Amino acid sequence: LMYCEAVLAGGSSTSDGTALSYINMIRSRAGLPDLTQITPDNLLLERRSEFAFENQRFFDLLRFGKAEAILEAYSKTPEASFEFKKTALLLPIPQRELNTYSDMTQNPGY
């Protein structure tokens, strides 16, 4: 799946033979039909299924630029136990870096 993501490289789709063979190996193991092209949406879905309970989903959503939309929509559902804020997508800048670079400011929320 990492190879597929690298081949996709931010594009809208790919039909690279090697990438398709890798993702289709995973899909055939699960009894799913083969794909003829890979899009960001079906790659995200594949990673969500393959890495369930491995805490990869959040970072996948960040890399694909879909974290804000998906987390905000989920936070409005009855089963959500949090209120989404855009600052949740940022990590704190280490204090050592802030001390070294005086023109740098801490990310909001920290």
Side-chain angles (χ1 to χ4, degrees):
L1 293 174
M2 290 175 69
Y3 181 82
C4 296
E5 186 176 340
V7 168
L8 191 59
S12 60
S13 70
T14 185
S15 52
D16 177 77
T18 307
L20 282 169
S21 71
Y22 286 149
I23 199 166
N24 287 330
M25 283 187 335
I26 295 167
R27 292 178 62 80
S28 66
R29 183 190 71 213
L32 298 170
D34 286 353
L35 295 175
T36 56
Q37 73 174 354
I38 302 167
T39 64
D41 287 337
N42 60 24
L43 183 56
L44 266 175
L45 181 61
E46 201 66 41
R47 289 186 60 83
R48 182 180 188 180
S49 302
E50 186 68 19
F51 300 119
F53 308 110
E54 293 187 25
N55 297 320
Q56 295 295 314
R57 178 86 170 141
F58 177 73
F59 300 105
D60 290 345
L61 292 174
L62 282 176
R63 272 196 326 280
F64 281 79
K66 298 188 179 236
E68 185 176 333
I70 290 174
L71 292 173
E72 188 170 11
Y74 178 74
S75 72
K76 294 176 181 173
T77 63
E79 52 278 340
S81 61
F82 67 96
E83 179 184 338
F84 176 74
K85 296 177 184 165
K86 288 182 183 182
T87 55
L89 301 178
L90 301 173
L91 294 173
I93 298 172
Q95 188 61 49
R96 181 189 62 173
E97 300 303 317
L98 293 172
N99 293 343
T100 303
Y101 303 101
S102 59
D103 59 334
M104 186 180 290
T105 58
Q106 185 58 272
N107 283 331
Y110 293 100

